[in-house]
Amino acid sequence: MKYVVLSPARKIICFDHGEQVAQYCDEKERSDIDAYCKDQQYTYETMSSVDVGYVYTLIGAEAGVCYIYETKDVLKHMKELQVESDLIDATADLFNDRRLNEEIDCPGYLSDVLMDLTPMTVSQLLDPLYTMQNIDEWATEGNE
């Protein structure tokens, strides 16, 4: 698998595609926000954009966020840390195990390794809408 996600509940799950990761993280965030709004008796229809922003910030601070890592970066970092090769191999097997299509508790050693890495953002996984290349290309098109 290409990505491992550490959820706010300290569980891990792996995915092959960035779109799957984005959907998983969005569902986690949305369920936390829906639960908070239900508890506070808020409805999206009556909330202002400031209220929604506040709730997103509050939920992120209270419940936490998903942390996304590329599995190759995790394994590379474990090698840099000179972790025993048997443990690195076991981690690689874990990442490729189809059981990780469902959340499992994150092993303690892996949690330590993940917290030592900089996580990716969902926006890094998805194709960018605009890049300098396609903006510049459009701007110069027909002007030559």
Side-chain angles (χ1 to χ4, degrees):
M1 302 255 186
K2 189 171 181 179
Y3 302 103
V4 60
V5 179
L6 179 65
S7 76
R10 312 312 284 170
K11 297 195 179 279
I12 58 171
I13 187 169
C14 286
F15 298 99
D16 285 320
H17 304 287
E19 296 83 18
Q20 295 168 314
V21 174
Q23 182 179 1
Y24 171 82
C25 293
D26 185 51
E27 287 172 6
K28 286 290 182 191
E29 186 177 73
R30 187 171 303 151
S31 70
D32 289 341
I33 289 171
D34 288 346
Y36 179 82
C37 287
K38 183 178 179 181
D39 182 55
Q40 298 297 315
Q41 299 178 345
Y42 292 155
T43 61
Y44 290 111
E45 294 80 19
T46 61
M47 293 172 64
S48 71
S49 58
V50 172
D51 294 334
V52 172
Y54 171 77
V55 171
Y56 269 90
T57 303
L58 182 68
I59 293 303
E62 286 182 0
V65 296
C66 291
Y67 295 101
I68 307 163
Y69 306 92
E70 283 193 76
T71 55
K72 67 178 177 133
D73 291 341
V74 175
L75 297 171
K76 179 182 173 187
H77 189 64
M78 290 176 76
K79 289 175 186 171
E80 291 169 354
L81 293 173
Q82 298 179 347
V83 173
E84 293 178 26
S85 61
D86 291 344
L87 195 54
I88 294 171
D89 293 341
T91 304
D93 290 343
L94 178 67
F95 289 158
N96 291 313
D97 188 343
R98 290 296 166 188
R99 288 182 312 126
L100 270 182
N101 287 335
E102 301 292 327
E103 292 179 330
I104 65 168
D105 290 328
C106 184
Y109 75 89
L110 186 54
S111 181
D112 293 341
V113 171
L114 294 177
M115 290 299 106
D116 201 32
L117 290 169
T118 302
M120 301 173 66
T121 62
V122 172
S123 62
Q124 289 174 298
L125 299 174
L126 305 175
D127 289 331
L129 180 60
Y130 300 106
T131 63
M132 287 308 293
Q133 181 180 358
N134 68 17
I135 290 173
D136 289 341
E137 192 174 293
W138 180 82
T140 58
E141 199 173 285
N143 293 328
E144 296 175 6

